[in-house]
Amino acid sequence: MKNLVISESGERLDQFLAQGQHCTSRSEAIKWIKDGFVLVNKAKAKPSHKLKEGDQIQITPPKVKPSELTPQKIDFPILFEDKDLLVLDKPAGLVVHPGAGNYELSLVHGLLHHCQDLSGIGGVERPGIVHRLDKGTSGLMVVAKTDKAHVHLSQQFQDKTVQKTYLALAYGSFEQDEMRIENLIKRSEMNRKKFVVNQKKGKIAISQVRCLRRSKLVSLLNVQIHTGRTHQIRVQLTHLGHPVLGDDLYGGTKKLRQFSDDQSQYVKNIGHQLLHAAHLSFEHPCFGELLSFQAEPPEDFKNAYEYFFEEAYSE
């Protein structure tokens, strides 16, 4: 139980709890308030309640519901681990958390096997998860092992202080050496699994793209994202006419113009988008130290590069 006394007026109760890192997120704060785990001056209040100087807040966190997920031994490289967090290199093809069709095999299942005390951190179904990668995307992820780390890392992602850089093999010759992409992204009304660029409404998505290598058919791109929208890189590159190779959802496996039948079939056989989270840096949630990690792309990414550029992949 926590007992707090407010020193300043005007802030919403839910914002106070989230920004003060008493909850892992604003949505969790709202749920706690509505469920009666937070009292203001010994009485229930609304999430929108405006706090006044001298208000007394009593927080009684709910008991952690044990996860019903069965831990599974899943291999994934771990680049760094301490008592607060771990950084791993997620393989392509592995979903991050359980969902339709993936209730028994996900990264979460593997994390529960690897970390015996992870089950209550960040929620029952998504313990330790502070960000995600699409199933077909490989690369670096940070996972929280304590509540304190979860709150602090989540705040860093919210404040956009985490640096994330991806490598992508995209269709076509990317014309510019470097460009900033800024547009609005929203869920498609035609296909609810997809997102699209919309000129009038949606959430702002910002990426910085640098072309590392180009040929007539394929470009190797370095993409730093400044926002973390669902499918952001895949949607933005498709909108520019350069879908990520192997991306079946966004047109990266169709018989692309100028590709031979053999080349098109090669891309289809890859089985996932050639998108890799290659760089990740953030502040350690307990020590304040800047941590920075690099991960080489997987073999199928390197093989595709060599197939189209006819030279060995190198950093």
Side-chain angles (χ1 to χ4, degrees):
M1 180 185 296
K2 295 180 183 178
N3 291 288
L4 308 170
V5 179
I6 301 303
S7 59
E8 295 182 10
S9 301
E11 190 170 18
R12 284 172 54 117
L13 177 59
D14 56 354
Q15 291 176 335
F16 170 81
L17 294 175
Q19 293 174 3
Q21 301 186 358
H22 303 293
C23 296
T24 58
S25 65
R26 187 173 171 185
S27 60
E28 183 180 70
I30 291 172
K31 180 169 175 44
W32 284 15
I33 296 166
K34 289 183 175 179
D35 290 346
F37 296 110
V38 179
L39 302 178
V40 178
N41 300 323
K42 299 183 179 181
K44 290 188 70 172
K46 294 181 179 180
S48 59
H49 174 81
K50 291 291 181 69
L51 295 169
K52 299 181 181 128
E53 185 177 350
D55 277 349
Q56 295 187 6
I57 300 178
Q58 186 180 77
I59 307 170
T60 307
K63 291 183 179 180
V64 175
K65 180 182 176 183
S67 173
E68 297 179 357
L69 302 176
T70 303
Q72 301 284 350
K73 190 177 187 310
I74 299 174
D75 291 327
F76 43 79
I78 295 176
L79 281 67
F80 174 86
E81 183 173 10
D82 65 10
K83 65 181 181 61
D84 301 298
L85 58 89
L86 64 85
V87 175
L88 60 91
D89 187 354
K90 186 189 84 70
L94 179 65
V95 295
V96 171
H97 48 72
N102 296 289
Y103 287 112
E104 297 182 356
L105 193 64
S106 70
L107 177 63
V108 164
H109 287 88
L111 289 169
L112 289 172
H113 181 275
H114 179 78
C115 306
Q116 302 301 317
D117 56 350
L118 192 69
S119 61
I121 299 163
V124 176
E125 298 299 321
R126 304 184 184 189
I129 302 300
V130 292
H131 67 126
R132 63 183 291 271
L133 294 176
D134 298 329
K135 177 181 178 181
T137 301
S138 59
L140 295 168
M141 290 185 62
V142 57
V143 176
K145 294 173 63 177
T146 65
D147 285 321
K148 180 178 179 180
H150 194 283
V151 170
H152 198 289
L153 288 169
S154 296
Q155 190 64 47
Q156 289 186 59
F157 278 97
Q158 184 176 327
D159 294 341
K160 300 178 177 58
T161 57
V162 177
Q163 289 192 348
K164 294 181 288 182
T165 304
Y166 294 72
L167 291 173
L169 274 176
Y171 167 72
S173 182
F174 203 82
E175 294 181 359
Q176 299 186 42
D177 292 335
E178 190 163 354
M179 72 177 298
R180 177 184 171 92
I181 308 174
E182 184 171 343
N183 43 36
L184 300 176
I185 288 178
K186 65 181 291 289
R187 191 176 293 275
S188 169
E189 296 178 1
M190 303 294 292
N191 182 346
R192 302 300 290 175
K193 292 182 178 180
K194 295 178 66 174
F195 288 78
V196 295
V197 170
N198 188 285
Q199 303 301 324
K200 295 182 179 180
K201 58 182 178 178
K203 295 181 178 179
I204 188 71
I206 303 171
S207 303
Q208 191 72 27
V209 182
R210 190 158 51 92
C211 184
L212 303 177
R213 187 88 162 80
R214 63 169 64 86
S215 71
K216 191 174 182 180
L217 296 177
V218 172
S219 296
L220 174 65
L221 304 177
N222 175 293
V223 186
Q224 182 176 5
I225 60 172
H226 300 294
T227 53
R229 306 305 178 200
T230 303
H231 300 177
Q232 177 170 319
I233 295 173
R234 300 163 65 189
V235 173
Q236 289 182 321
L237 290 180
T238 297
H239 183 69
L240 292 175
H242 298 282
V244 179
L245 292 185
D247 192 344
D248 189 51
L249 184 62
Y250 289 99
T253 59
K254 294 180 180 178
K255 190 177 186 307
L256 300 169
R257 185 165 40 90
Q258 301 181 16
F259 273 38
S260 68
D261 289 340
D262 287 345
Q263 289 166 337
S264 294
Q265 190 59 49
Y266 179 90
V267 171
K268 289 180 181 179
N269 290 342
I270 294 169
H272 67 93
Q273 63 268 15
L274 292 177
L275 183 63
H276 175 71
H279 171 78
L280 176 68
S281 65
F282 56 90
E283 183 181 286
H284 193 287
C286 297
F287 306 118
E289 177 187 0
L290 181 65
L291 301 179
S292 185
F293 301 91
Q294 302 276 355
E296 284 198 3
E299 288 303 311
D300 58 1
F301 189 110
K302 294 179 179 179
N303 291 340
Y305 175 91
E306 293 169 8
Y307 178 84
F308 284 103
F309 287 105
E310 298 182 348
E311 64 181 36
Y313 177 88
S314 61
E315 287 291 329

